[in-house]
Amino acid sequence: MSSASGIPPPPSYVCAKCDQPLVRGKVVASYLGSEFPIELWKCPECGKVLVPRELATGRMLQVEQALEDK
Ligand SMILES: [Zn+2]
């Protein structure tokens, strides 16, 4: 019984510095003095977090707007 068909494999990111495959995990992002938990890819070796472009131009912008609206 194969039930996993149709599910795309997870993207594999590699740390440019350590050449280690990044792992997915919860990190605390800090933006404009506010901290919020978020799930991102990070390097198990050096802890560098990969911020996808869509996140940098999308959700981060919403956070900024929310803070300004306060
Ligand atoms: Zn690294």
Side-chain angles (χ1 to χ4, degrees), residues 26-30 34-38 49:
K26 277 266 171 71
V27 300
V28 177
S30 179
S34 261
E35 291 188 342
F36 51 96
I38 196 170
V49 176

Side-chain angles (χ1 to χ4, degrees), residues 15-40:
C15 180
K17 183 180 167 187
C18 315
D19 201 29
Q20 291 281 325
L22 303 188
V23 296
R24 191 150 190 157
K26 277 266 171 71
V27 300
V28 177
S30 179
Y31 191 69
L32 292 180
S34 261
E35 291 188 342
F36 51 96
I38 196 170
E39 193 173 84
L40 286 178

Side-chain angles (χ1 to χ4, degrees), residues 4-64:
S5 65
I7 300 176
S12 57
Y13 297 112
V14 176
C15 180
K17 183 180 167 187
C18 315
D19 201 29
Q20 291 281 325
L22 303 188
V23 296
R24 191 150 190 157
K26 277 266 171 71
V27 300
V28 177
S30 179
Y31 191 69
L32 292 180
S34 261
E35 291 188 342
F36 51 96
I38 196 170
E39 193 173 84
L40 286 178
W41 293 94
K42 63 177 182 178
C43 174
E45 189 82 14
C46 68
K48 176 180 166 66
V49 176
L50 176 85
V51 179
R53 180 170 298 180
E54 62 206 30
L55 181 67
T57 59
R59 197 178 294 186
M60 289 297 185
L61 199 61
Q62 288 179 4
V63 170
E64 185 177 23

